[in-house]
Amino acid sequence: MAPRLQISQLCKSFPGVRALDDVSMSVEPGEIRALLGENGAGKSTLGKIVAGVYSRTSGEVRLDDAVLGDLDEKAAGELGIGIVHQEGSLVPQLSVAENIFAGRQPTKWLGQVDIRLMRERAHALITQLGVAIDPAMKVAFLSPAQAQIVEIAKALSRELRLLILDEPTAALTLTETEKLFEIVRRLGRDGVSIIYVSHRLAEIFALCDSVTVLKDGRLAGTRKVAETTTDELIRLMVGREVHLTRAASARQAGPVVFEADGVSAPPLVRSASITVRAGEVVCLAGLIGSGRSEFCEAIFGARRRTAGDIRIGGAPVDPQGPWDAKHAGIGMVPEDRKTSGLFLGMDLVNNIAATVLSKVSSGANFSNTKAERLAGGFVKELRIATPSVRKIVGELSGGNQQKVLLAKWLAMEPRLLIVDEPTRGVDVGARSEIYRLLRGLAEKGVALLVVSSELPEVLALADRIVVMAEGRTVGELPGEGATEEQVLRLATRFTSSVANVREEAVGA
Amino acid sequence: MSVAQISQNEAQAPVEQREALPLRIVRRLANSRELTLFVLVVLLALAMTIVYPHNFPTGPNMRAVLLNLAPVGILVCGMMLLMIAGTFDLSVGSTLALSGVWGGVVAGWWGWPAEAALLVGVLVGAVAGLINGLIVTRIGINALIATLGTLTIYRSLTYVTAGTGVTPISDSFAEYGRTADPILRIQSPFWAMLVLVLVGGWLVARTRFFRQFYFVGGNPRAAQLSGIRVDRLILIGFIIMGALAGIAGVLGAARLNSAVVNAGVGIELKVITATVLGGASLKGGEGTVLGGILGVLFIALIENAMIINAVGVFWQGLVVGLVLLFAVSLDRFKTAGRG
């Protein structure tokens, strides 16, 4: 029997970049194949070519032994190739049902959309996924996880032969991820082939049959999941050994630099307290939606605080906005570096100088020389790989962008630096580099508050772990010797229902 | 391989060779909208000198061109600042008329000294800008809608204030708009524009305070989280824009010794055209005052060529529109090549 999908010598060039170079692979019917690689390895590009989003430069793609010509997304959909995009393809102003059947709404006479039939079918599709979402609801009101489920329902609304999932779990919680896996496994049993694009190794071991690794647009290898190990996959991805193990920490924590007591910022932060000492790395752990990022924003003045005291070096501060926090010596590296962190269209010099305009000026004059010297210093110190300090930041790799973002905040010499998801979208190599930088900062006496969703990261970095759940700080663990299980147990101890009951008890 | 070795490899990216200074300057200029525009302006002026030797390079024609571009030139400084910050103001034409009329009322009807009238006119403009800024930053209405609203409101206030206008205003007031320098004999609005462009250009390009506008336009959320007071800066930008419209308004009224209620109708589109031509982007974060003024000059020359050539007024909009679309599409190619 012919394989479901057969790719031979596929190449794809973008102006100035060879995104895919001579890649061949084949997927059997019903097989769940992971596509793994660092950022920029070409895995999303491969998925998009198969789904007709991009055209290929050369090479051949066969579906059930039939050669695919140059097709667009619509033609690919009609052949039974579905894709769930990383970025999302839903129109927020339209209803769930309308999004699912975009352009293919069932019609009555004169081409009127048969709204009832459409909603019924949408309802059936969503129920099949084991969740309840009202098909008449506007997509704008959905949570990211619900939107992801609608995306999948949209792909499932056709007869599928091949489904491509591009980083589908980025916005999902653990339970939602588990639900998604069940759906994917069932599709596989029904004979649909799945290409599962991801860089989360744990998911691949939990879900997939086999894994194809790409590195720099080339095929690095294909393995059966049952016959491989994490170490081997990482070696294939990065072409070298990488250790994410914990550095021996013999640091002496200094005096308390930062205290937050009973901070509330409804609705997501209810009562959170934390202290951080000089030279200490405190990690804030918790499930998605537990209010970690929001707590940090409240400390930084980027979110309105309704209660709680904040002290820096013992002196009370009351930040009304990020500028106040900055003057008090607090820096914050936000979670989403593209939308809230960097000025992507500007060069390194301007990005790094953004927090310290007064430092790079003589009187009222902005000094380009001073700013360039400042940026040059950080390029060297943080080993940012860039041809020039005048390079546009949007053109750097994810890891180097993250370093620029760090540099921007290091430039103001913070006493407390909050880092929200320090390695999101950063590849494995740059990751250990960023850990090294953060540890180095702590050794210099900066108080660090790190938010992370990735438990291995928390365990590798933290001197102390503070766990949040339901907008409250619920427990604390020493970083040395803590296990993932301990953290998770704290984070899930108060589920929604328990917390509500507690609240009612307090109210009564 | 150890972690340290990896990072060393990563750091061994090619380091840009420092080229000789003249070469660097040429390279930098070749990439700039300002240079492109400057070359176009010079070429256009040369071509017109050759084709119309008796009409174009004459004293009266030059003086007329420079004087006519003065109000647009003054407004372009403020519009450039706003567009750098990622916003804009459609109400400038109405603000200009309202300020001019208030200058006229104070000097002509109330008989106050000319200086007080000028001051009142500029203040009226600044207040109009302040109101725009408050609507945009405090109420959070998008600048397009907000200033579209005030465009009609301010124009209506102009009619309410002075009916059909104030004519004549007063001789001492008119002095301020008519005084010409002894050598080139160009009247004061042009010189006011020149001073504003030079000072504005320096402020926007060089000072720390105005530098912040680029960050606001580049990524407002990141600017906010970098400790830049985004809303306050946008508010200040609108006030500056309003005050500049006020200056243009009172000088225009003084030059004609008449506050016209229809002054500045449609000027906002001309100003935005020049600003975009000069290198601003609707997304913000880019542009220089120098580029803006070159845009103004370029449009003025094209209009002048058509006037000399006796091409009907009706055709001017078509040509200016085509030039704008052409200039912006050039940028599209540049970005595509980079990405």
Side-chain angles (χ1 to χ4, degrees), chain A residues 18-184:
Chain A
R18 198 155 178 87
L20 285 176
D21 191 2
D22 194 24
V23 174
S24 304
M25 63 185 274
S26 68
V27 183
E28 299 298 323
E31 183 179 355
I32 304 177
R33 168 69 57 91
L35 203 51
L36 182 68
E38 291 187 323
N39 291 311
K43 43 193 202 304
S44 292
T45 310
L46 180 69
K48 283 182 178 165
I49 289 175
V50 174
V53 181
Y54 293 158
S55 61
R56 52 186 180 265
T57 308
S58 67
E60 193 185 64
V61 180
R62 285 165 180 269
L63 187 70
D64 285 329
D65 225 18
V67 178
L68 298 187
D70 261 333
L71 33 78
D72 58 10
E73 235 182 315
K74 192 164 169 2
E78 275 152 18
L79 285 170
I81 302 175
I83 181 164
V84 173
H85 288 289
Q86 199 174 352
E87 305 91 38
S89 63
L90 301 179
V91 184
Q93 292 88 348
L94 295 180
S95 74
V96 167
E98 229 156 334
N99 267 290
I100 291 178
F101 293 102
R104 300 173 295 117
Q105 296 95 329
T107 50
K108 294 188 288 194
W109 56 282
L110 281 180
Q112 292 183 82
V113 174
D114 188 341
I115 295 179
R116 232 188 30 204
L117 183 62
M118 184 173 75
R119 286 194 184 152
E120 271 167 25
R121 284 200 205 158
H123 182 73
L125 278 168
I126 295 169
T127 321
Q128 180 198 335
L129 298 181
V131 285
I133 300 171
D134 179 5
M137 190 142 79
K138 274 191 188 176
V139 165
F141 300 130
L142 299 181
S143 73
Q146 287 174 318
Q148 189 72 46
I149 287 163
V150 174
E151 291 265 10
I152 294 166
K154 182 177 170 182
L156 293 178
S157 66
R158 306 164 178 272
E159 278 297 303
L160 274 184
R161 287 198 269 178
L162 174 69
L163 176 63
I164 300 158
L165 295 163
D166 194 352
E167 306 268 3
T169 56
L172 303 190
T173 62
L174 273 175
T175 27
E176 286 162 335
T177 302
E178 199 42 57
K179 203 169 275 167
L180 173 73
F181 284 3
E182 265 169 47
I183 294 161
V184 172

Side-chain angles (χ1 to χ4, degrees), chain A residues 300 322-323 326 338-343 346 350 354 357 361 363-366 383 385 387 395 408-409 433, chain B residues 1 3 6-7 10 14 16 202 206-208 211-212 214-215 219 221-229 338:
Chain A
F300 190 56
W323 41 89
K326 190 170 90 175
K338 292 203 164 134
T339 63
S340 4
L342 292 170
F343 304 92
M346 295 185 173
N350 277 299
L357 288 173
S361 304
N365 256 341
F366 180 84
R383 300 185 196 159
E395 296 167 9
K408 179 176 124 180
W409 282 107
E433 179 86 8
Chain B
M1 225 196 222
V3 173
I6 294 164
S7 21
E10 222 176 312
E16 199 178 46
W202 172 76
R206 303 289 312 156
T207 62
R208 177 176 101 201
R211 189 100 211 140
Q212 297 181 99
Y214 287 93
F215 292 104
N219 183 346
R221 172 116 181 105
Q224 176 87 11
L225 289 178
S226 301
I228 291 170
R229 299 182 181 219
R338 207 202 291 155

Side-chain angles (χ1 to χ4, degrees), chain A residues 299-301 312 315-332 354-359 409 412-416, chain B residues 208 212 224-229 232:
Chain A
I299 293 171
F300 190 56
I312 280 273
V317 287
D318 180 21
Q320 296 298 315
W323 41 89
D324 288 337
K326 190 170 90 175
H327 286 299
I330 305 176
M332 185 174 83
T355 55
V356 284
L357 288 173
S358 54
K359 214 161 138 189
W409 282 107
M412 64 155 281
E413 294 166 11
R415 300 177 71 184
L416 171 76
Chain B
R208 177 176 101 201
Q212 297 181 99
Q224 176 87 11
L225 289 178
S226 301
I228 291 170
R229 299 182 181 219
R232 182 187 285 189

Side-chain angles (χ1 to χ4, degrees), chain B residues 295-316:
Chain B
V296 173
L297 211 57
F298 186 66
I299 294 174
L301 283 180
I302 288 185
E303 285 181 350
N304 190 236
M306 285 187 292
I307 290 167
I308 294 172
N309 221 351
V311 177
V313 188
F314 299 149
W315 289 94
Q316 289 184 11

